[in-house]
C-alpha cells in the first residue's frame, strides 16, 4: 500500500495555528474528523494524549508523529500539518517541531496499512525529504514528495542483501503502539551501521507482529544485542549474550553510541528471567513505584468490580446478605458473595503476586500470591499484601543467584520445582512467624485511630487526600492517595475513599464548569474539550484535566488542587463513606451517610475550581 492512500489532500494543512503541544493535537484531530476518518473524535484525542504520557512523539529534527491505534478510528489515515513558527512539543532534542504527521490506525489495522505507516517513519529519517516538505507550497507538492520517497523505499527493500551473520550486531526495536518509533529506531540503527561498515540485523516488534525475527543461530554468533524498547519483548533467547537495554528513543537518537558500545561489548551478560542490568537512565522504570503500580493495576479490576457489587448488595439493606436477618434477600447475598467473598478475596493475593512478578518475572507469581493470600487470611490486609509481594519478589531474585552455580543439567527443574518449593516455603514461613501478627495489630491500631479522630482531624485528612488526587492527576501522588483509600476500604474504614473520589472528580468537573461560565478565558477547542470533561469528571477520570494543566500549569494546577482539597474535606465533614472504589457519579447513591451532601461537596469543590480559573486566567484573543 502506498502512503498516499492514507495521506490525502483533505488531510493536509500547511498553516497550523497552534504554538503548544496541548493545542496542536486537537487541531490535527479536527482535520481528521472533518475528513470523516473518525468514529469518536474525543476518544481518539484521549488515545493520542495517553500515548504522549508514555513518551513524547516529538522525535527531534523538527518532526512530531503523534499516533494512536484505537477503535475510535473509522478509516486508517494520516494527517500532515506544518507550522511556520514552530510548536513547543517536548521533542527529544528540546527544539520546536515544524512538521507533524498524525497517524490514526484502526484497532484491527491490517499489515498493509501498518507497513505503509512504517515506511512513512523511514522516509522522515531522511534530511532531504524533511527539507522538501518544509519548502513545499501546495498539498499536491506534499503528496508528490511522499510518493517519490515511497517508491525509493520499495526499490531499496528489493535490493537489500543479507550480511554475514558472524560478528554481526543484532537489535530489537519496539514501542508501545508499534507504529512509528519502532521503525524509525530500526532505520536509524541500520543507516548508522551502514555508514560505520558494521553488519547489523534489526528485528521490529510493531503492531503487525515481529518482523525480521532474529534466529537462534544469529543470536549465538552475534557480538552483542541492542534492545531499544519501551514494551516487553522476548528476552530469554538472549541469555548468555552481551545485551544493551535502552528506551526506543535512544535507538532513534543515539544509534552511533549504541553500535560502538555493542562492538566493544560494553554491556553486562544477560542472565535470563528479566535480570539484565538496565541503563541508569531507565531506573525510573524499575524501582519501587514500578513494581507497586504493576500490582495495583492488576488488582484494580477485582477491587472495582467487587466493590461495586458489594455496594449494590446494600441497596437491599445493610444486613440483606445475612440469611439470619429479617431483611435477607438471596440476590443481595449473591452480590455480596461474588463481590466480597470472591473478587475482594482475590484482591490482596493478586496485588502481592503481580508485585513479585514485576520484580522476579514469572517465578515470583506463585510465592507472591501465596504470601498475599496468607496476609488476607491472617488479618495483615493490604499492608501485609504489599510486604508479601516485595518479600516474594526479592526472595526469588536471591534464589536465582544462589542456584546459578548448579549444573546446567538441572536448569530445567529450577522453574518447575526448585523456585516454587523454596520460595513458597520461605515466604510462607516469614509471613506466618514474622509478618502477619504485628501487621494485623498495626491495621487494628490504624483503624481505631481513624475511627477515633475528631471532626477537625478528619477534615484535615480529607483536605490532604483530596488535594493529592489533583496534584499530578494520575501520577504517583494521585495513585498514592487512591491506594491509601483502597487500603482503608479493605480495613473496613470507608470515609477516606469518599474523600479520594470526591477529590478525583473535581478537576475535570471544575474545568468543564469554567469553560461554560468563563468562555472568554478559553479557546474554542478548549471549550469543546470542556464538554468532554463533564463526562470524565462524572466518571471519576481525573486525567481529563491533564491537557488543560499541561497548557497552563501555573493557573490550572493551583485551582484544581484547591477545589479538590475542599471537596475531600467536606466529604469527611459530612460523614460520608464509600465502599465502591470507582464509579464516580454512578455510585453516589450507594454512599454511606447522606448522598446529597456528598454530591454537594463535589459541586462546591468544582465551583471553587471554576471561579479560581475564571479569576486567574486571562481572556483569549482567537483572531
Amino acid at each position: 500500500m502506498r502512503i498516499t492512500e492514507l495521506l490525502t489532500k483533505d488531510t493536509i494543512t500547511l498553516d497550523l495555528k497552534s504554538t503548544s503541544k496541548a493545542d496542536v493535537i486537537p487541531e490535527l484531530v479536527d482535520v481528521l474528523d472533518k475528513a470523516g476518518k473518525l468514529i469518536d473524535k474525543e476518544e481518539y484525542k484521549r488515545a493520542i494524549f495517553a500515548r504522549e504520557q508514555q513518551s513524547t512523539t516529538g522525535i527531534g529534527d523538527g518532526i512530531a508523529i503523534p499516533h494512536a491505534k484505537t477503535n475510535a478510528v473509522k478509516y486508517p489515515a494520516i494527517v500532515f500539518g506544518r507550522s511556520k513558527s514552530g510548536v513547543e512539543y517536548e521533542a527529544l532534542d528540546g527544539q520546536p517541531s515544524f512538521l507533524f504527521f498524525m497517524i490514526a490506525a484502526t484497532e484491527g489495522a491490517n499489515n498493509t496499512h501498518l507497513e505503509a505507516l512504517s515506511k512513512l517513519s523511514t522516509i522522515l529519517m531522511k534530511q532531504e525529504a524533511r527539507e522538501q516538505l518544509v519548502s513545499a507550497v501546495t498539498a499536491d507538492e506534499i503528496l508528490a514528495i511522499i510518493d517519490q520517497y515511497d517508491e525509493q523505499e520499495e526499490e531499496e527493500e528489493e535490493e537489500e542483501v543479507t550480511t554475514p551473520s558472524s560478528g554481526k550486531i543484532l537489535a530489537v526495536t519496539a514501542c508501545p503502539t508499534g507504529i512509528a518509533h519502532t521503525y524509525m529506531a530500526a532505520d536509524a540503527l541500520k543507516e548508522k551501521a551502514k555508514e560505520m561498515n558494521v553488519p547489523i540485523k534489526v528485528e521490529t516488534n510493531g503492531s503487525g507482529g515481529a518482523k525480521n525475527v532474529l534466529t537462534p543461530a544469529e543470536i549465538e554468533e552475534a557480538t552483542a544485542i541492542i534492545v531499544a524498547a519501551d514494551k516487553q519483548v522476548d528476552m530469554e533467547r538472549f541469555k548468555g549474550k552481551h545485551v544493551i537495554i535502552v528506551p526506543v528513543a535512544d535507538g532513534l537518537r543515539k544509534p552511533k553510541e549504541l553500535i560502538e558500545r555493542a562492538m566493544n561489548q560494553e554491556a553486562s551478560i544477560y542472565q535470563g528471567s528479566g535480570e539484565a542490568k538496565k541503563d541508569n537512565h531507565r531506573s525510573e522504570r524499575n524501582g519501587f513505584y514500578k513494581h507497586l503500580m504493576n500490582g495495583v493495576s492488576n488488582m484494580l479490576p477485582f477491587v472495582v468490580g467487587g466493590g461495586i457489587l458489594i455496594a449494590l448488595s446494600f441497596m437491599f439493606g445493610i444486613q440483606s446478605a445475612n440469611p439470619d436477618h429479617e431483611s435477607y434477600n438471596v440476590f443481595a447475598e449473591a452480590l455480596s458473595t461474588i463481590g466480597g467473598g470472591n473478587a475482594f478475596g482475590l484482591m490482596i493475593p493478586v496485588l502481592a503476586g503481580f508485585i513479585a512478578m514485576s520484580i522476579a518475572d514469572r517465578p515470583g507469581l506463585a510465592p507472591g500470591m501465596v504470601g498475599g493470600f496468607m496476609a488476607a487470611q491472617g488479618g495483615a490486609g493490604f499492608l501485609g499484601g504489599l510486604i508479601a509481594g516485595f518479600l516474594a519478589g526479592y526472595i526469588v531474585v536471591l534464589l536465582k543467584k544462589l542456584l546459578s552455580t548448579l549444573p546446567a543439567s538441572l536448569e530445567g527443574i529450577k522453574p518447575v520445582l526448585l523456585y516454587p518449593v523454596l520460595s513458597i516455603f520461605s515466604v510462607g514461613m516469614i509471613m506466618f512467624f514474622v509478618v502477619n501478627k504485628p501487621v494485623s495489630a498495626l491495621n487494628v491500631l490504624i483503624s481505631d485511630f481513624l475511627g477515633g479522630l475528631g471532626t477537625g482531624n478528619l477534615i484535615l485528612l480529607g483536605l490532604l487526600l483530596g488535594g493529592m488526587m489533583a496534584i499530578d492527576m494520575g501520577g504517583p501522588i494521585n495513585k498514592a492517595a487512591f491506594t491509601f483509600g483502597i487500603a482503608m476500604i479493605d480495613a473496613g474504614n470507608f470515609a477516606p475513599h469518599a474523600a479520594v473520589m470526591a477529590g478525583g472528580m473535581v478537576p475535570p468537573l471544575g474545568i468543564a464548569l469554567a469553560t461554560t461560565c468563563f468562555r472568554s478565558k478559553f479557546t474554542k477547542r478548549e471549550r469543546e474539550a470542556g464538554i468532554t470533561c463533564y463526562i470524565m469528571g462524572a466518571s471519576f477520570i481525573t486525567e481529563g484535566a491533564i491537557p488543560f494543566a499541561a497548557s497552563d500549569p501555573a493557573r490550572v494546577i493551583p485551582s484544581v488542587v484547591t477545589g479538590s482539597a475542599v471537596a475531600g474535606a467536606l466529604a469527611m465533614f459530612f460523614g460520608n463513606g464509600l465502599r465502591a472504589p470507582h464509579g464516580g457519579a454512578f455510585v453516589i447513591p450507594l454512599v454511606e451517610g447522606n448522598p446529597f451532601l456528598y454530591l454537594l461537596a463535589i459541586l462546591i469543590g468544582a465551583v471553587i475550581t471554576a471561579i479560581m480559573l475564571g479569576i486567574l486566567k486571562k481572556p483569549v484573543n482567537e483572531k
Side-chain angles (χ1 to χ4, degrees):
M1 172 176 274
R2 302 304 292 263
I3 294 171
T4 47
E5 292 180 50
L6 302 174
L7 174 67
T8 54
K9 287 181 72 171
D10 60 347
T11 59
I12 294 177
T13 175
L14 298 178
D15 189 17
L16 291 170
K17 306 299 182 186
S18 304
T19 57
S20 70
K21 182 176 186 175
D23 288 337
V24 76
I25 287 175
E27 187 174 354
L28 292 167
V29 171
D30 282 342
V31 176
L32 266 179
D33 190 47
K34 288 175 183 175
K37 306 296 184 182
L38 302 178
I39 297 171
D40 187 332
K41 168 182 162 183
E42 296 303 326
E43 179 60 31
Y44 176 72
K45 193 185 304 180
R46 282 194 292 273
I48 287 286
F49 277 114
R51 172 62 186 85
E52 292 299 322
Q53 283 187 293
Q54 293 173 330
S55 61
T56 182
T57 57
I59 62 173
D61 294 322
I63 301 171
I65 312 180
H67 55 273
K69 183 181 177 185
T70 168
N71 54 18
V73 176
K74 189 175 184 180
Y75 303 113
I78 301 171
V79 171
F80 171 73
R82 188 175 66 191
S83 170
K84 295 177 181 177
S85 58
V87 175
E88 295 300 325
Y89 200 85
E90 304 168 8
L92 293 173
D93 59 3
Q95 299 301 311
S97 297
F98 297 88
L99 300 176
F100 295 84
F101 285 86
M102 176 173 278
I103 299 171
T106 57
E107 195 63 62
N110 60 39
N111 286 344
T112 55
H113 290 143
L114 296 171
E115 286 165 7
L117 298 175
S118 69
K119 281 195 293 181
L120 171 64
S121 304
T122 304
I123 291 168
L124 295 177
M125 296 297 298
K126 302 179 185 294
Q127 182 178 349
E128 63 272 22
R130 298 195 299 268
E131 290 173 351
Q132 290 176 33
L133 290 170
V134 168
S135 59
V137 178
T138 66
D140 287 325
E141 284 185 56
I142 297 291
L143 294 173
I145 292 166
I146 295 294
D147 249 340
Q148 171 195 341
Y149 284 97
D150 195 355
E151 190 172 331
Q152 287 180 12
E153 282 300 312
E154 290 177 353
E155 291 172 359
E156 287 174 11
E157 283 177 12
E158 290 173 2
E159 293 171 3
E160 191 172 338
V161 295
T162 304
T163 56
S165 61
S166 179
K168 184 186 287 186
I169 300 299
L170 302 182
V172 180
T173 61
C175 70
T177 49
I179 295 175
H181 288 61
T182 298
Y183 302 101
M184 298 185 79
D187 288 318
L189 287 166
K190 287 189 285 188
E191 286 294 320
K192 186 56 65 175
K194 183 178 179 181
E195 184 182 305
M196 297 168 67
N197 198 29
V198 174
I200 192 170
K201 178 178 178 179
V202 185
E203 173 184 310
T204 54
N205 281 224
S207 291
K211 299 290 177 63
N212 212 26
V213 176
L214 309 178
T215 67
E218 289 169 331
I219 294 170
E220 179 64 30
E221 297 180 1
T223 302
I225 295 113
I226 300 166
V227 178
D230 286 339
K231 71 174 185 177
Q232 189 67 36
V233 298
D234 178 11
M235 295 293 294
E236 288 301 305
R237 53 189 166 150
F238 303 141
K239 187 174 181 180
K241 304 298 293 186
H242 291 276
V243 181
I244 300 169
I245 304 179
V246 294
V248 69
D250 281 11
L252 180 60
R253 305 303 304 171
K254 303 175 182 178
K256 183 179 179 181
E257 176 188 322
L258 293 176
I259 292 169
E260 287 175 345
R261 287 175 56 192
M263 291 295 294
N264 297 326
Q265 295 189 324
E266 295 176 7
S268 57
I269 299 291
Y270 184 71
Q271 300 299 326
S273 300
E275 292 176 18
K277 183 178 180 183
K278 306 277 197 296
D279 280 16
N280 289 335
H281 57 270
R282 289 265 295 195
S283 61
E284 74 276 6
R285 298 176 182 268
N286 303 296
F288 175 87
Y289 179 71
K290 175 203 167 185
H291 303 316
L292 174 62
M293 285 302 106
N294 190 59
V296 170
S297 62
N298 283 285
M299 175 193 71
L300 274 181
F302 297 89
V303 177
V304 174
I308 291 178
L309 290 177
I310 293 169
L312 287 171
S313 74
F314 292 118
M315 294 180 67
F316 297 92
I318 297 298
Q319 298 293 329
S320 60
N322 182 358
D324 299 325
H325 196 270
E326 60 183 11
S327 64
Y328 170 71
N329 181 290
V330 67
F331 187 66
E333 181 189 14
L335 288 172
S336 181
T337 301
I338 296 166
N342 296 284
F344 246 47
L346 287 169
M347 175 180 79
I348 293 173
V350 168
L351 169 74
F354 280 92
I355 288 174
M357 190 173 177
S358 177
I359 296 168
D361 208 17
R362 194 180 301 274
L365 181 63
M369 292 198 72
V370 170
F373 188 74
M374 291 181 70
Q377 297 298 305
F382 193 86
L383 182 57
L386 291 177
I387 295 171
F390 285 98
L391 177 68
Y394 290 114
I395 281 178
V396 172
V397 169
L398 177 61
L399 285 173
K400 287 180 179 180
K401 290 181 180 178
L402 294 176
L403 300 178
S404 62
T405 56
L406 290 179
S409 58
L410 298 178
E411 194 68 29
I413 69 169
K414 286 182 183 178
V416 297
L417 177 63
L418 298 181
Y419 292 153
V421 172
L422 295 175
S423 62
I424 290 174
F425 171 79
S426 303
V427 171
M429 286 295 187
I430 294 172
M431 293 299 296
F432 187 87
F433 287 108
V434 179
V435 176
N436 272 0
K437 289 182 180 178
V439 175
S440 178
L442 178 61
N443 280 338
V444 172
L445 186 65
I446 292 172
S447 185
D448 290 344
F449 172 75
L450 289 174
L453 285 178
T455 302
N457 289 326
L458 283 173
I459 290 173
L460 287 175
L461 178 62
L463 196 78
L464 175 64
L465 292 173
M468 287 174 69
M469 288 299 292
I471 288 176
D472 55 358
M473 290 165 278
I477 298 174
N478 170 285
K479 289 293 187 292
F482 184 74
T483 303
F484 176 77
I486 293 174
M488 289 300 98
I489 290 177
D490 180 58
N493 191 315
F494 309 112
H497 202 73
V500 166
M501 188 175 291
M505 291 172 68
V506 162
L509 287 176
I511 288 171
L513 196 59
T515 59
T516 300
C517 299
F518 304 100
R519 297 177 64 81
S520 64
K521 303 295 182 76
F522 298 90
T523 65
K524 181 182 178 182
R525 284 186 297 276
E526 287 174 332
R527 292 195 297 271
E528 291 172 352
I531 297 171
T532 307
C533 280
Y534 280 113
I535 299 169
M536 298 184 79
S539 303
F540 185 37
I541 302 174
T542 315
E543 289 83 350
I546 288 175
F548 293 86
S551 64
D552 191 4
R555 295 177 178 85
V556 173
I557 292 177
S559 302
V560 297
V561 169
T562 303
S564 292
V566 170
L570 287 174
M572 286 287 209
F573 177 73
F574 293 146
N576 295 123
L578 193 59
R579 293 172 182 266
H582 213 290
F586 305 101
V587 297
I588 288 179
L590 309 176
V591 164
E592 292 185 354
N594 191 321
F596 294 105
L597 289 178
Y598 186 61
L599 178 61
L600 179 64
I602 296 168
L603 292 176
I604 289 173
V607 168
I608 289 173
T609 292
I611 291 173
M612 287 186 65
L613 287 171
I615 294 171
L616 295 175
K617 287 184 74 68
K618 297 177 180 178
V620 173
N621 185 355
E622 293 194 78
K623 292 183 180 180

